[in-house]
Amino acid sequence: MNTLPLFFNLNNKTVLIVGGGDIAYRKAQLMAKAKAKLVVIAKHFEAEFLDFLQSHHHVFFQKSFEPADLNQHTPTLVIGATDDHEVNLVIHRASKAYGVPVNIVDTPDLCDYIFPAIVDRNPIVIGVSSNGKAPVLARLIRAKIESSLPSRLGELADKAGKFRDTIKNSLPTITERRYFWELIFDRALKDETIGTLSDELNQFKNHDTRLGEVYIVGAGAGDPDLLTFKALRLMQQADIVLYDALVSNDILELCRRDSQKIFVGKKRKDHTKTQDEINQLLVDYAKQGHRVLRLKGGDPFVFGRGGEEMLACQAAHIPYQVVSGITAALAASSYAGIPLTHRGIATSVRFLTGCYQTNEPFNGLNSTYQTDETLVFYMGLHALTKIIDSLISAGLPNDLPIAIISNASLPTQQVLTGTLTDIIDKKHQSNLIAPAIIIVGHVVDLYQP
Ligand code: SAH
């Protein structure tokens, strides 16, 4: 972060602006909007600016800037907006000597603070800055935010501010109050009609909101761009996040900042928490009124034990939602460029696991393999030899193509291809690591390194 965004209270504080042209005028309008007292110094003023200063009874002087002006007016901020670089330098030097933050317009090197592009829905104020690197981009982002926010947001935020004490008295716990506001503001952001806040409060109190909820959410295979909108929304609502080893830090960072994050990861041999313990945690936290996010790699219902978590919620009568994620097989397929079905090559796909519940490795296909089928193995890297042996003894041709995709969708993705005969040697010579997906079938021929 090059600069820290702060929201500065300028109410009734003096801002000294040097300059009488368009840019100085715009800054003066902005400062006036923030209710600052203006002192403007310029040798020459544009007529419109002069009108503005006079009609709003601001203080201005038609003269050159002198360092002594600072002692005289004791400003909280200084803005240099003249078109004379030498004068701007004098303003900068004098402000530094006096110890007041200064901004010399369009000269980042001479700025202690910079003006962001602003969305003003008072009391909601949003500032966007590129730290002087790409102001046009900042303005476009501002326009995008501006157009996505319903127009009456500021008004609602204002009413909410006035209603806070009433809410505090009616809803005793912070959690309840947070639910209430989230419900209201979520609807406001979707531009839904909101009744008066007291009606909304009554309605809210008539519903039982004390029971929490469980969100069983697939986070996709690793690339944060694979998250669904729904996943992201629930990630930003949850109070408690129980996450897996396969969920990356980049994804975790998108969860609500103040949520409690608990690692319950399971690796093949190293289980931090048993599945029963995880199920119990979900139920217990939800019973305490929390919204619990169970964040899982890929899709929760594909070799993810999300089904067991759902059953635990059902048994405990806890409300839950399941959100699909992009499972590793699909991510590996698209990011490596190996279609799982392809006209004329493969008409069906089978998802298999290289490791069963008891940690036994794969021990054979339980129905006949057709050559127009694609096999996809999860959790198969450590059991590769066993898998290949079983496939060959099931009668699959020795020269059948096979691909191993490690860290699919991540910058560290690696793809190794070969045949059932040579892949084990190739894997030994490589440095492929888990997690990895194994794809078997003629579709692998479509792979382009
Ligand atoms: N529910 C997850 C799968 C969990 S089982 C899903 O739908 O993707 C764990 C296995 O998923 C790993 O052993 C590996 O085979 C696979 N896997 C998960 N993420 C992966 C990734 N980014 N690249 C390759 N394989 C991955």
Side-chain angles (χ1 to χ4, degrees):
M1 202 166 10
N2 290 344
T3 51
L4 180 73
L6 292 172
F7 291 86
F8 204 123
N9 182 354
L10 280 179
N11 192 4
N12 223 13
K13 307 222 171 70
T14 302
V15 175
L16 183 108
I17 301 178
V18 187
D22 256 6
I23 296 177
Y25 180 24
R26 259 182 274 139
K27 292 291 183 254
Q29 285 174 310
L30 184 64
M31 294 300 112
K33 234 176 156 185
K35 303 188 188 65
K37 284 196 295 192
L38 300 188
V39 174
V40 188
I41 297 174
K43 281 203 284 193
H44 170 77
F45 286 94
E46 299 278 331
E48 210 181 327
F49 191 8
L50 206 55
D51 260 8
F52 166 82
L53 293 169
Q54 281 168 338
S55 58
H56 291 82
H57 310 290
H58 291 301
V59 178
F60 62 96
F61 301 94
Q62 202 146 5
K63 68 176 207 78
S64 307
F65 168 79
E66 291 163 283
D69 291 324
L70 297 173
N71 288 311
Q72 190 182 341
H73 300 292
T74 60
T76 300
L77 289 179
V78 172
I79 301 173
T82 79
D83 49 12
D84 183 331
H85 185 59
E86 289 304 313
V87 176
N88 284 343
L89 276 178
V90 172
I91 299 167
H92 179 256
R93 228 173 287 134
S95 304
K96 299 308 299 178
Y98 181 75
V100 59
V102 58
N103 174 291
I104 303 295
V105 172
D106 283 341
T107 320
D109 289 350
L110 299 182
C111 288
D112 293 318
Y113 61 93
I114 47 182
F115 293 100
I118 296 170
V119 178
D120 182 6
R121 301 287 174 85
N122 198 43
I124 299 292
V125 177
I126 301 168
V128 183
S129 165
S130 69
N131 282 293
K133 305 281 188 246
V136 175
L137 177 60
R139 283 204 293 277
L140 289 176
I141 294 172
R142 188 249 327 257
K144 228 174 171 161
I145 297 175
E146 187 89 64
S147 62
S148 68
L149 293 182
S151 51
R152 298 179 56 210
L153 213 59
E155 200 183 307
L156 178 64
D158 209 30
K159 281 190 193 150
K162 294 182 182 129
F163 207 64
R164 277 180 73 136
D165 285 342
T166 317
I167 295 285
K168 228 176 191 161
N169 296 333
S170 304
L171 302 174
T173 70
I174 297 183
T175 314
E176 270 181 308
R177 293 198 286 273
R178 195 191 306 132
Y179 285 3
F180 174 74
W181 288 124
E182 276 177 8
L183 219 71
I184 296 288
F185 293 137
D186 194 47
R187 279 167 48 203
L189 283 171
K190 289 185 204 140
D191 224 356
E192 290 174 15
T193 320
I194 315 276
T196 66
L197 287 176
S198 40
D199 283 352
E200 294 288 349
L201 177 61
N202 283 337
Q203 258 188 28
F204 181 82
K205 286 205 298 200
N206 289 337
H207 285 91
D208 187 6
T209 49
R210 269 160 295 245
L211 199 58
E213 194 175 356
V214 171
Y215 311 135
I216 303 171
V217 174
D223 180 351
D225 277 355
L226 292 180
L227 283 170
T228 60
F229 287 128
K230 191 162 182 183
L232 193 60
R233 187 154 50 76
L234 297 179
M235 283 160 72
Q236 293 182 351
Q237 268 178 25
D239 308 306
I240 298 183
V241 181
L242 305 186
Y243 67 98
D244 274 352
L246 284 173
V247 175
S248 67
N249 269 342
D250 286 350
I251 289 182
L252 212 55
E253 288 214 345
L254 297 170
C255 291
R256 205 175 91 212
R257 197 178 285 251
D258 62 343
S259 58
Q260 185 188 345
K261 300 179 186 77
I262 304 170
F263 176 68
V264 293
K266 285 180 268 164
K267 292 207 170 125
R268 198 159 54 83
K269 286 190 194 121
D270 160 28
H271 287 218
T272 312
K273 291 239 182 307
T274 64
Q275 188 60 50
D276 284 344
E277 285 169 334
I278 297 174
N279 296 350
Q280 197 58 50
L281 280 179
L282 293 176
V283 168
D284 289 348
Y285 282 130
K287 280 190 173 160
Q288 290 162 19
H290 298 293
R291 284 157 307 173
V292 193
L293 175 75
R294 176 68 179 108
L295 193 59
K296 306 170 78 74
D299 182 89
F301 281 0
V302 179
F303 301 125
R305 306 192 69 173
E308 291 160 63
E309 291 163 359
M310 177 187 72
L311 293 177
C313 292
Q314 285 174 358
H317 305 288
I318 303 285
Y320 65 89
Q321 301 183 40
V322 183
V323 180
S324 30
I326 303 223
T327 188
L330 302 186
S333 152
S334 48
Y335 279 70
I338 304 174
L340 296 183
T341 67
H342 193 81
R343 186 179 273 260
I345 300 181
T347 56
S348 65
V349 192
R350 226 190 290 191
F351 289 175
L352 305 112
T353 165
C355 153
Y356 289 108
Q357 213 170 37
T358 51
N359 268 350
E360 273 172 32
F362 176 77
N363 55 10
L365 295 173
N366 50 14
S367 68
T368 329
Y369 174 75
Q370 307 290 331
T371 52
D372 63 352
E373 183 180 17
T374 305
L375 303 179
V376 183
F377 287 91
Y378 287 71
M379 295 172 274
L381 195 62
H382 68 284
L384 185 65
T385 311
K386 186 88 190 186
I387 291 174
I388 301 286
D389 287 351
S390 333
L391 294 181
I392 288 179
S393 44
L396 271 64
N398 287 346
D399 60 353
L400 196 62
I402 175 167
I404 305 179
I405 300 109
S406 143
N407 278 330
S409 83
L410 292 166
T412 45
Q413 172 171 302
Q414 278 184 285
V415 183
L416 183 73
T417 56
T419 63
L420 293 190
T421 325
D422 65 15
I423 195 72
I424 293 171
D425 278 349
K426 282 185 163 178
K427 188 219 147 189
H428 285 319
Q429 284 156 25
S430 75
N431 53 357
L432 278 194
I433 49 161
I437 279 288
I438 300 169
I439 302 181
V440 181
H442 290 292
V443 285
V444 172
D445 285 333
L446 297 168
Y447 173 67
Q448 296 278 338

